[in-house]
Amino acid sequence: MAQINEHYLGLKGSYLFSEMAKRINAHGGDIIKLGIGDVTRPLPPAVTEAMIKAVNDMGTADGFHGYGPEQGYAWLREAVAANDYQGMGIEPDEIFISDGAKCDTGNIQELFSDKCRIAVLDPVYPVYVDTNVMAGRAGDYDPEKNAYSNITYLPCSAENGFKPSLPDTDVDIIYLCYPNNPTGTVLTKAELSEWVAYAKKTGALILFDAAYEAFIREDNIPHSIYEIDGAKEVAIEFRSYSKTAGFTGVRCAFAVVPKTLTGTDSNGQPHSLNAMWNRRHTTKFNGVPYITQKGAFACYSEEGKAQIRETIDFYLGNAGIIREGLKSIGIECWGGVNSPYVWLKTPGGMPSWDFFDRLLDAGVAGTPGAGFGSAGEGYFRLTAFNTRENTLRAMERFSLLRI
Ligand SMILES: *Cc1c(COP(=O)(O)O)cnc(C)c1O
């Protein structure tokens, strides 16, 4: 008998997006979707040209590539180190090219004991929680609290300006995501430094998800946790070409695991996390396609960089329209400056799902904050991933809301 991993029974259904789709379909009519968490603009021409060339290479005897290095081609790892981590002392062999930051943030917890106590922000990207549930690290689910007993939740709300407090209990692993999904908020260098100092003091490990790094436009907002002194001893960073360069359907990302990082065994002996992740990657993964890596490499060319910046500026233009539209009708909101996400407080403290229905009647769909965790109740997420025309039309519909 194949007995199952019963930790899977502790997962709660992925109710959020299915419930949204159900209500949108039942409603019918012309609905503008501002709930999309996927990019909408095409790949940069520099990327598609590089990929077409790579496809043609693959059809020639000289240009054919079979299995590549599991960790990624050296030319891509070198380009990442030189461009994304310039001056931060990150070496190419600390960079692991992968098929997605979702997979990486989900798989990384495999390196750690099931006794590790994890901390997440609330609201949170659900992958961090669910993968720890699967591993048996989360404890029991309490539907009243919408929370797992062994997970430390760090609430983020208007009251604390969406800046979570440091944990007041012992935690071993902390997931941070900045610019944040879903709230669109950021941490300054000084604020992120406090987390690095905390991790150094307590021995905790930070898993830093920087999938939206390319949307940062303000000074003094760190693009990488390695901009903070000492972070190489306490943090793993995740990045992705998905939101940066439109790779959601192409699949390419990377994790940075510094060689200075260690975890301890049950005897307190240190072990290199870089060596462990390398072993995991080479055992369970056979590398990102050559064609895809050539596309990612093109993101670092002058044309590639300029095209990516233009696309992100376009999304940020939409985000600005959403922010201004909300403010003009007296709805408080955050994010949308260094992020494609705008997080709003529902008028009159209306529950997130009630606001979803009201907005749907006005012809706009967004994402109820409660779907990202209990601290998201009373909030709502809008995204900039749409056309300019639809964004403008959606904000007109907002202005007709009578709440
Ligand atoms: C979209 C997103 C990612 C990127 O995932 P990929 O698997 O690389 O497409 C990672 N983290 C967060 C928080 C995201 O929203």
Side-chain angles (χ1 to χ4, degrees), residues 2 59 77 81 165 219 248 252 260-261 276 326 338 346 379 385 394:
R77 300 171 89 193
S165 314
D219 295 337
T248 51
C252 197
T260 39
L261 261 187
M276 285 179 73
L326 293 173
N338 302 292
T346 60
Y379 295 90
F385 296 129

Side-chain angles (χ1 to χ4, degrees), residues 364-380:
V364 180
T367 313
F372 298 101
S374 61
E377 180 58 282
Y379 295 90
F380 202 79

